[in-house]
Amino acid sequence: MRIRPATAADGARWNAFVNLCERANFYQRWEWNAINRDALGHRTHFLLAERGETVVGVLPLVRVRTLLFGDLLTSMPFVNFGGPAGVDDATEDALVEAACAEADRMRCDHLQLRATRAFGALPVGTDKVSMTVALLPTAEAMMQAFSQKHRHNLRRAQKNAITVRQASGGELLDDFYAVLRLSWQRLGTPLYRRDYFARIIAEMPEAIRIHVAYHEGKPIAVALNGEFRGTVEGMWAGVDPAAQALQPNYVLYWEMIRDACERGFTRFHLGRSTKDSGAVAFKEKWAATPTQLYWNYHLVKAKELPRLNPDNPKYQRAIRTWQRLPLGLLDVVGPPIARGIP
């Protein structure tokens, strides 16, 4: 078996493998190469494993290097997870070994592989889970899978005159981004430029679907999802803080689940969450069950595992300050910071 850096000429073969490999996921598609390189300005290092002329494994890697947050090689940043995909464990293990060697060669701080399994003796973090709904053949059957209390809360929210629009591609991008700006300000989190989401849509228009909840014609809750081999991938969502009392997320999530059922999808990943968090509790209401995720690390220059997450106390003051800044200022200073937070 040979492992080498992939080139643009390998893109079609790379995606053909990802589309057929049972172990592959949406975040390993070739298109993430150009998205991270061109929209965010990061160097990409996509590794391809071959036996003869046959692709047997892939591992997308992105080097995220900033003054604020250090220098790391990761798979995959800014999305739910990533890691290697191979025809068997041995192939994936070989790709991981190659990635460790690449991180050593670069002399970055550390390598991080966000995957669905642990790899050998690498240090691993296990505080993240992927919450997945097993979709039923009809929306009616799906509704009956919820608890009586949850159905009651959903019906109550539906009385608030909230409507939901869905569209593949970029038709609803402006409304999506307008709400996400408000939502992430409330969270105290820097947001990427609109161009980042536009590039994702441009690279994979058939695989991106945006959902927007409206009240009296105004967008108040939004989500941008990916679609891959029968699975809906929940990637980004937000709600206008001023509309929280209307409980729009109940209506939005139900309409997304209903839409997925009616269009023949079998699973809905509601995105990754931290264990025992409020996000997990909300997703469990939709009959979602957790799948363990593994943040595998190979330390190079770093002496200890990183703690780059909003729960880290050292970031709490920055979050509180961010929440008080005007949106106009955040539009300017936010994207350069966001591109460095993997």
Side-chain angles (χ1 to χ4, degrees):
M1 180 174 64
R2 177 177 68 153
I3 296 176
R4 63 174 176 85
T7 69
D10 298 310
R13 296 173 65 229
W14 179 293
N15 267 353
F17 174 80
V18 168
N19 288 335
L20 293 175
C21 178
E22 292 183 0
R23 295 169 175 243
N25 61 64
F26 179 69
Y27 308 107
Q28 294 159 338
R29 285 183 56 156
W30 178 258
E31 289 85 352
W32 292 105
N33 192 327
I35 291 166
N36 282 282
R37 184 189 66 234
D38 299 339
L40 295 177
H42 295 305
R43 293 181 61 186
T44 56
H45 304 265
F46 279 37
L47 300 180
L48 187 72
E50 298 170 306
R51 289 194 180 99
E53 297 299 316
T54 302
V55 176
V56 294
V58 298
L59 173 52
L61 295 162
V62 179
R63 188 176 189 179
V64 180
R65 191 177 190 181
T66 66
L67 291 175
L68 280 177
F69 303 109
D71 181 5
L72 67 152
L73 186 64
T74 182
S75 179
M76 284 290 283
F78 316 113
V79 293
N80 287 320
F81 48 91
V87 294
D88 52 32
D89 284 355
T91 302
E92 293 183 353
D93 291 343
L95 283 163
V96 171
E97 184 177 345
C100 291
E102 187 76 358
D104 289 340
R105 182 189 66 80
M106 292 177 181
R107 298 299 299 161
C108 57
D109 294 332
H110 65 272
L111 166 73
Q112 180 194 65
L113 300 174
R114 302 173 173 183
T116 53
R117 72 178 181 98
F119 297 103
L122 292 182
V124 64
T126 57
D127 63 327
K128 301 294 183 182
V129 293
S130 176
M131 300 297 294
T132 304
V133 179
L135 298 173
L136 300 176
T138 67
E140 291 75 15
M142 200 70 239
M143 179 67 81
Q144 293 306 310
F146 306 148
S147 69
Q148 183 177 4
K149 180 180 179 180
H150 186 56
R151 293 197 299 269
H152 171 76
N153 289 336
L154 173 57
R155 287 192 294 268
R156 184 172 60 186
Q158 287 173 323
K159 294 178 182 179
N160 291 330
I162 296 169
T163 59
V164 176
R165 288 184 60 199
Q166 299 110 345
S168 297
E171 178 184 343
L172 300 175
L173 179 57
D174 287 343
D175 286 348
F176 164 79
Y177 193 73
V179 174
L180 208 64
R181 289 171 68 235
L182 299 171
S183 178
W184 283 35
Q185 179 196 34
R186 177 66 175 269
L187 293 172
T189 305
L191 179 62
Y192 321 105
R193 289 189 176 89
R194 179 188 179 280
D195 291 350
Y196 172 61
F197 301 105
R199 184 59 183 263
I200 293 172
I201 294 167
E203 291 287 336
M204 302 180 284
E206 81 294 343
I208 301 299
R209 194 162 177 85
I210 295 177
H211 305 255
V212 181
Y214 297 88
H215 181 254
E216 296 179 350
K218 180 183 178 182
I220 58 172
V222 297
L224 187 152
N225 300 330
E227 298 178 348
F228 180 72
R229 288 192 337 208
T231 298
V232 177
E233 290 283 348
M235 293 193 286
W236 292 281
V239 61
D240 181 347
Q244 286 279 18
L246 297 173
Q247 296 186 307
N249 271 341
Y250 276 94
V251 181
L252 178 68
Y253 273 69
W254 166 244
E255 290 300 324
M256 290 195 296
I257 290 172
R258 183 186 60 78
D259 179 67
C261 289
E262 292 178 352
R263 296 171 60 229
F265 289 88
T266 57
R267 295 191 303 171
F268 196 145
H269 288 161
L270 296 181
R272 75 164 189 256
S273 301
T274 302
K275 288 180 179 178
D276 302 320
S277 65
V280 166
F282 178 75
K283 293 170 183 178
E284 286 176 337
K285 296 177 181 180
W286 301 99
T289 57
T291 299
Q292 181 65 59
L293 296 176
Y294 299 87
W295 267 216
N296 297 266
Y297 294 94
H298 170 64
L299 303 184
V300 183
K301 293 169 62 178
K303 302 301 182 185
E304 59 184 12
L305 297 184
R307 294 187 61 202
L308 185 58
N309 64 71
D311 298 325
N312 189 334
K314 81 177 195 177
Y315 295 121
Q316 289 302 307
R317 183 175 180 182
I319 289 171
R320 290 192 296 270
T321 299
W322 199 265
Q323 291 169 330
R324 296 193 295 267
L325 295 177
L327 272 173
L329 178 60
L330 299 185
D331 289 339
V332 176
V333 300
I337 298 174
R339 68 177 289 279
I341 306 175

